[in-house]
Every structure is written in C-alpha cells, then in structure tokens.
Amino acid sequence: MRWAWTDVSGALGDRAARVPTHVPPLRVSAYSGAMSESEDEGWGPLAHEMHLEVSAYFAALSEVTSGEAPDSALPVLLLAVGQLCGAGARIGALVDVVPEERFEPDAGPDHDLERLREKLHGLLGGLDSYCDLEDPILSGEVTDGSLSADLVAIAADLAHGQVHYEAGHETEAMWWWQFSYLGSWGERASSALRVLHTLLAHVRLDADDEDVMEAELAALHAVDALD
C-alpha cells in the first residue's frame, strides 16, 4: 500500500507535518457476499486485503516512532487507527470464520513490542494517559487508559494473525483477526481513535483568542492587498 504525503501546518506549528492522504476506499462488495454465506470459502482475497491494512498500520507506527517528524505523530496515528477501525468493522460484520484448527499457542512476551510501547510512551509524554470506561454497556466504572499500551496491544493481536497469513494459512489468519477484533483489539482501536481525535481537536481548536484575532486581521489585510 502506498501513501501520498501532504503538508499540514497551522495549529501544529510552523514546521510542516507529513500526513498520509491516500486511504483505500471501502470495498464493501468484496465483503457483502461473505456476510450471508456460511460456507468456509473465499477468505483468500479478504485475508489479503486485511493483510494490507495490517501492514499499513505497522508502517505508520514505524513512521511515528522513528522520531523524524514528531509534529506529524497525532495526525498520522489518527489516520492509521481510523483506517484500521474501518477494516475491523468489515471483518467483524462477516459471518464467523471457522478454521480447521482452533488451538493458539502462547508465543510469550514480545520484546520488540515492549520497545515499541516505550518509544510511543516517550513520544506522547503526558498525553499518553486518559480516562476510559470499563464497559459502556454493563458498567459505568471509569478506569485509566494508556494510548501507547492500546496501540501496542492492537499491534500484538494483528501480528499474530499476520504470522498465520504469511505462513499461507489464510483462513486461520481471518479467524484470528476477526476473533481478536471482537474480543480485544477492536475495543482498543475504538478507544485510541477517540483519544487521538480529542487530542488533535484540542491542538487545532484550543487557540489563544489573541492569536486567532491576529490571524483574522492578517487574512483581512491579505484580501485588501489583492483588491
């Protein structure tokens, strides 16, 4: 998957932020038949599309944690997680994927993912923690959330399915991605998306009144100069 980049300035500062602007369209037609069919067939094309979405998410995390463009971290993460939420919703709406084997060995802790979490935590700093709900349906209990932990937990679930896919086990990959979407990473992605949206909204909209007035006056002067 190729991303095009564009410059974003303004509330993020004078330095340009690189933001991926190409988001593949939702290919609903490829999923509509699988929503109603109960036979275990045709998972190959869908697994390939999910594989591309997973690869794009990993690429975005790599871009952000490289530290080369810290000003672009929020918009890049917002786009990456938002796109992933769309992909997850599509596989969540499918009929249950049933593989031949349902035993999943515990691979143990992934030290690469822990290093990734540390980089994200260091990058986000005080913006990493947020208030979350334990269960918005069954409980109103407020808990502490961590954006970096969410992003890495999502990556861990996706990586497990990616292992199945790269081994040629497309049905197993689809089953794991669907099962873990409904059980864990879908919820984490939804929470992360809301937090990222809120953070970016504050950055863009919480401008000082004097700065806003100066910007408006500058715009008016620019219009007058054109006249």
Side-chain angles (χ1 to χ4, degrees), residues 86-109:
R90 296 199 295 274
I91 64 172
L94 299 176
V95 296
D96 289 345
V97 182
V98 182
E100 295 181 2
E101 298 290 336
R102 304 191 198 183
F103 174 72
E104 290 293 317
D106 185 1

Side-chain angles (χ1 to χ4, degrees), residues 26 31 49-50 52-54 81-94 181 185:
L26 300 182
Y31 289 78
E49 291 192 6
M50 189 61 194
L52 294 179
E53 301 285 5
V54 171
V81 176
Q83 182 169 303
L84 191 61
C85 282
R90 296 199 295 274
I91 64 172
L94 299 176
Y181 167 77
W185 75 261

